[in-house]
Amino acid sequence: DFDQGTPDEIMGRASVPICSLADRGESDLWINLQEATSGQVRIQTQWMTMSNERDDYDDRLEEAYGRQLSTAVLIVYVDSCKQLPLAKSRVSTKPDPIVQISIASSAEYQETRSVKHSRNPEYEQGFVFLVNNPEVDDLDLRVYDEKTKADLGLLRLGLANLFKREGMEYFNQPFKLKRTGCESSVTLHLQLYFTRKVPRRVRRRRSRSVQSGEMDLDSISLLGDDSEDESETDQQNLQKLSIISGGSVESLAQPELRQRKNMTTRDVKNVDGKVVSGPRILVSLQYNDTEEILAVTIHRAVELPSENSYDLPDPFVKLILLPDRPKKRKTEYVQECTSPEWEETFEYSIPRGQVRDKEIDLVVVNRKGLFCRSADLCRTILQLCDCCEITGKTTSRWFSLSRPDSPKLEVGSFF
C-alpha cells in the first residue's frame, strides 16, 4: 500500500517455483497472497526455450511485431584480450582492464571482473543478452582501465553477420579492437539462439470431482507435487543450451563438437587391489631426457559429477604447471558427457634437474558452468616426483578427482 510521506505497507506477497512454471510451459494462474488475510494475484507466464530453426524465428518475429519482446538470445563468452595499450596516467603503467558488453538497442550492460596489471588479461566469463531483432542490432564492447576509466579498445559487431553465419556461432574468434594505437584484440565465443515457446502441458489430477467429469487444468502445486497421470516432460525443450566455451584461446578454427559417447566404465583398482570409485581421470606422462620435454596426455575421465541426467556437463581439462604457473593449457570440450574422451597431448620444457620439483594441477571444468564463469567440477594435483619416470618411459595412471567441496584425494592406479 503506497502511503504519501510514510513508509509503504506490505499487503501480501506470493512466490511461485520457477521449475513449476517451466514445467507447465504457458501459465495463467491465480495465486493466494501470503502474509495477508485474503486476496489473490493473477500472473501470466510463457516459458521459452532456445532454437536454431529459422521457422521459430519467423513465428516469434511476427508475434513480437510492435511489441518490446525478445526474439533471440545472445550468449557471449569473453575469453581474453591481447596486447592492450598501457594505461595513460602520470606514468604509463600496465592497466587493470575490464570488458564491458551491451546490446546497442539497450541501455543495460554487463562487465567482466578486472584483471590487475595486465596487457593480456584472461577472463573466461560468460554473459547472456536478450535481443529484440538480431538482423538490425549490434553488439558493443568496450575495454577500459579500472583505475583511470580510460578506453583501452572498442568493438562494434553487427549481429546480422552472426545471424547469417552457419550455426550462428563464432568459435573463440579474435576481433581487432579499435582506437588502441596498437594491435590489440579480444577473443570471444558468440552463439545466437532464437526463442521458441514451450507448449502448454495439460495437467490432469485425480480428485473427487473426476467421477463427475470435472477437471482442474489451471491449478498449480506450489510444493511441486505431481499426479501419477501426468505426461512426461520433454526435458530436451527445457534443457539449457549454454555454450560458454572452455576451448583454447589459440583454437581459432571451428571444430565440430564431439558428441556424447556411450561407454561402459571399467572397474579401476589401486595398488592395494581395491576398486576405486568416483570421478577419476586417465593421464600419461613421458619425459624426454634428451630434449628435456615433458609430454602430458589427457586420455579420458569417468563418473564426472552431474546435477541431473538431462543437463549433463560439457567437460574440458585445464592444466597448470606448478609452481611456475605459465599460461594454462586446455583441452577441447566434449558435449554433454560424464565419461569424456580427449586424447590430447601437451608439452612442457623442464630442465632434468627440476622435473621432480614440479606439480601439475588438473582441473575438470564444465564449460556450461554458470553465466558468470565456467564451473569447476573436480580436480587433482599430479606430483611428478611420484608419477613421472625420467628414463623416457611412458607412465599411464588413473588419478582420483576430488570435488571442490571435498577433501583432496591422492589415490592412483597404474593402467
Side-chain angles (χ1 to χ4, degrees):
D1 178 29
F2 174 75
D3 293 322
Q4 186 94 27
T6 60
D8 298 337
E9 297 178 1
I10 296 178
M11 302 182 65
R13 68 180 76 230
S15 61
V16 181
I18 295 295
C19 60
S20 298
L21 300 178
D23 189 47
R24 292 174 62 88
E26 183 178 357
S27 303
D28 188 353
L29 309 169
W30 284 96
I31 308 297
N32 292 328
L33 291 174
Q34 301 173 358
E35 301 180 15
T37 56
S38 63
Q40 293 181 315
V41 61
R42 183 184 184 184
I43 63 170
Q44 295 176 305
T45 65
Q46 174 64 62
W47 189 260
M48 311 295 290
T49 187
M50 292 185 278
S51 167
N52 289 315
E53 299 296 330
R54 181 59 186 260
D55 290 343
D56 291 326
Y57 172 69
D58 293 337
D59 293 342
R60 187 64 176 157
L61 192 63
E62 181 178 352
E63 180 184 3
Y65 181 77
R67 306 165 64 187
Q68 291 297 317
L69 296 177
S70 301
T71 62
V73 175
L74 176 66
I75 301 180
V76 181
Y77 180 85
V78 183
D79 191 290
S80 58
C81 294
K82 287 187 175 181
Q83 297 299 315
L84 294 177
L86 295 173
K88 296 179 180 179
S89 57
R90 295 181 180 178
V91 179
S92 294
T93 59
K94 291 184 177 180
D96 298 343
I98 295 176
V99 178
Q100 182 183 98
I101 315 165
S102 64
I103 302 298
S105 61
S106 173
E108 298 181 357
Y109 62 85
Q110 300 184 57
E111 294 184 336
T112 66
R113 70 188 186 283
S114 65
V115 178
K116 302 298 182 182
H117 310 297
S118 177
R119 296 184 61 196
N120 300 285
E122 295 185 359
Y123 297 101
E124 296 183 323
Q125 290 183 253
F127 306 91
V128 180
F129 295 90
L130 296 177
V131 181
N132 289 345
N133 190 337
E135 296 182 88
V136 299
D137 236 326
D138 296 317
L139 174 70
D140 287 338
L141 183 145
R142 174 193 177 214
V143 185
Y144 70 94
D145 178 33
E146 184 181 33
K147 298 188 297 287
T148 64
K149 308 302 179 185
D151 289 346
L152 301 175
L154 302 174
L155 172 68
R156 168 161 284 198
L157 180 65
L159 295 184
N161 296 328
L162 183 61
F163 180 84
K164 299 173 183 178
R165 194 177 180 86
E166 183 178 359
M168 298 189 297
E169 178 183 28
Y170 282 109
F171 184 86
N172 278 7
Q173 180 72 37
F175 295 92
K176 185 176 180 180
L177 294 171
K178 297 180 179 180
R179 300 184 187 178
T180 64
C182 55
E183 294 296 321
S184 303
S185 65
V186 58
T187 298
L188 305 174
H189 187 152
L190 304 176
Q191 178 77 62
L192 186 68
Y193 287 105
F194 303 134
T195 55
R196 179 181 65 193
K197 286 184 177 181
V198 174
R200 178 176 180 176
R201 290 185 55 204
V202 177
R203 180 173 295 225
R204 295 179 174 85
R205 294 194 170 199
R206 290 186 177 183
S207 64
R208 296 178 182 177
S209 62
V210 170
Q211 296 178 354
S212 61
E214 297 179 2
M215 196 171 297
D216 180 10
L217 301 182
D218 289 330
S219 61
I220 184 171
S221 170
L222 298 185
L223 298 178
D225 297 330
D226 296 332
S227 71
E228 297 178 358
D229 294 341
E230 289 178 359
S231 61
E232 294 183 359
T233 305
D234 183 2
Q235 300 292 1
Q236 295 295 332
N237 288 336
L238 299 182
Q239 184 178 353
K240 296 189 296 290
L241 299 178
S242 319
I243 53 83
I244 299 179
S245 168
S248 172
V249 174
E250 287 78 16
S251 303
L252 302 184
Q254 300 186 33
E256 295 181 358
L257 302 185
R258 284 172 281 179
Q259 300 297 321
R260 183 188 315 174
K261 298 181 180 180
N262 294 323
M263 50 191 303
T264 302
T265 302
R266 294 180 296 175
D267 288 341
V268 178
K269 297 181 180 180
N270 62 15
V271 292
D272 297 326
K274 297 180 181 179
V275 175
V276 179
S277 61
R280 50 200 182 275
I281 189 169
L282 179 61
V283 180
S284 292
L285 301 168
Q286 182 186 41
Y287 183 73
N288 188 317
D289 190 22
T290 303
E291 299 181 0
E292 296 188 329
I293 297 293
L294 174 67
V296 182
T297 301
I298 307 298
H299 295 288
R300 62 190 179 100
V302 294
E303 297 186 23
L304 295 181
S306 177
E307 293 185 359
N308 47 60
S309 60
Y310 60 86
D311 188 15
L312 300 179
D314 290 353
F316 67 95
V317 180
K318 289 195 303 187
L319 301 87
I320 305 173
L321 182 64
L322 303 176
D324 306 56
R325 291 190 175 275
K327 181 176 177 61
K328 60 178 173 291
R329 314 287 184 86
K330 306 177 189 177
T331 66
E332 296 294 335
Y333 64 87
V334 180
Q335 187 181 33
E336 297 181 357
C337 189
T338 56
S339 297
E341 289 187 359
W342 293 286
E343 297 297 340
E344 296 187 39
T345 300
F346 304 87
E347 294 185 344
Y348 298 90
S349 178
I350 306 176
R352 176 187 174 91
Q354 300 179 15
V355 174
R356 295 190 175 276
D357 298 328
K358 306 295 185 182
E359 297 178 339
I360 298 179
D361 187 9
L362 299 181
V363 187
V364 182
V365 184
N366 179 12
R367 64 178 283 276
K368 287 182 179 178
L370 309 173
F371 287 120
C372 58
R373 191 174 176 84
S374 298
D376 292 352
L377 292 174
C378 42
R379 73 192 308 156
T380 189
I381 294 181
L382 313 186
Q383 297 180 348
L384 299 186
C385 61
D386 295 333
C387 58
C388 181
E389 300 286 344
I390 59 175
T391 59
K393 178 182 177 181
T394 299
T395 303
S396 297
R397 186 173 179 181
W398 283 98
F399 294 89
S400 291
L401 296 165
S402 59
R403 302 191 184 189
D405 56 351
S406 64
K408 179 180 177 182
L409 299 177
E410 297 180 351
V411 180
S413 64
F414 288 94
F415 176 72

